[in-house]
Amino acid sequence: MKNLFSIITLVCMTLSIQANNFINPDGSNGNTLPNYLFADMNLMTIKSDIDNNKRSYFMTGSFTVLKTPTKKDGDVAKTVDVSFRNNQVLSRKGSTYIQANAQAKRNDNNSINEFRIYVNHEKNNEKIIDKRNIKVNWKTGSLEVVDKLKNVSVIYQEDGILIIGTMQKNGFTIGVTLAISKDVKLI
């Protein structure tokens, strides 16, 4: 049985590694950026639209902490979810980032938590989000979590950007999902 499990694990790992090496139908190796990234929704466009009062952008987010069981809980793990909706994205001319300041509600005790989220662009390309430099400042009561997201994935769409990542605090892993969407044109 152990050998069968080991073989299945090895096959799955090999397939996942091979999946990263597939050739796209356009003949590229997947390292090129999609065309729509340069068309409408990217970090440079967001900053420019906000800086020039052309369009508003909003961030919606969710932070989920999986809590391990305690003696009083029995053997059931609980989750704590903190989420916010449609907070305006801010930009300062000349900065390398966009920012959202949010007040979010926890699902376990209905308390309000404060968030400041900073999404920076890459040094060599202002259109692309720097996956290594998305900063979160989370205040809940007397506890403050300040960290950069890890294991980040960014999905660019025509009308929005989805950012998925994780954070660590006191041994807990926190799953983070952030969505940036645009509002109608102001001019």
Side-chain angles (χ1 to χ4, degrees), residues 120-131:
N120 287 275
H121 66 70
E122 286 189 351
K123 286 183 181 179
N124 298 331
N125 192 336
E126 293 181 25
K127 295 182 178 185
I128 302 195
I129 292 172
D130 184 352
K131 295 179 186 179

Side-chain angles (χ1 to χ4, degrees), residues 34-43 45-46 57 127 129 154-163 179-182:
N35 288 337
Y36 58 80
L37 176 59
F38 296 101
D40 196 24
M41 187 73 165
N42 60 62
L43 208 53
T45 303
I46 293 170
Y57 291 83
K127 295 182 178 185
I129 292 172
V154 178
I155 301 168
Y156 297 89
Q157 296 289 312
E158 185 176 339
D159 293 318
I161 299 174
L162 180 64
I163 302 168
I180 302 170
S181 59
K182 60 184 175 181

Side-chain angles (χ1 to χ4, degrees), residues 81-95:
D81 182 63
V82 186
S83 56
F84 59 89
R85 295 190 55 179
N86 298 328
N87 282 264
Q88 190 161 11
V89 173
L90 307 171
S91 173
R92 288 175 178 66
K93 285 192 179 190
S95 69

Side-chain angles (χ1 to χ4, degrees), residues 88-122:
Q88 190 161 11
V89 173
L90 307 171
S91 173
R92 288 175 178 66
K93 285 192 179 190
S95 69
T96 61
Y97 62 89
I98 58 173
Q99 175 180 344
N101 302 329
Q103 290 194 340
K105 186 180 276 193
R106 286 177 56 152
N107 72 332
D108 62 336
N109 62 13
N110 289 329
S111 67
I112 300 296
N113 290 199
E114 293 181 29
F115 287 89
R116 292 193 190 281
I117 299 151
Y118 305 91
V119 179
N120 287 275
H121 66 70
E122 286 189 351

Side-chain angles (χ1 to χ4, degrees), residues 47-61:
K47 288 183 58 47
S48 176
D49 284 353
I50 294 171
D51 291 346
N52 296 310
N53 293 321
K54 286 186 176 178
R55 184 183 298 264
S56 294
Y57 291 83
F58 297 92
M59 184 180 290
T60 297

Side-chain angles (χ1 to χ4, degrees), residues 27-38:
S28 70
N29 65 0
N31 291 333
T32 58
L33 297 170
N35 288 337
Y36 58 80
L37 176 59
F38 296 101

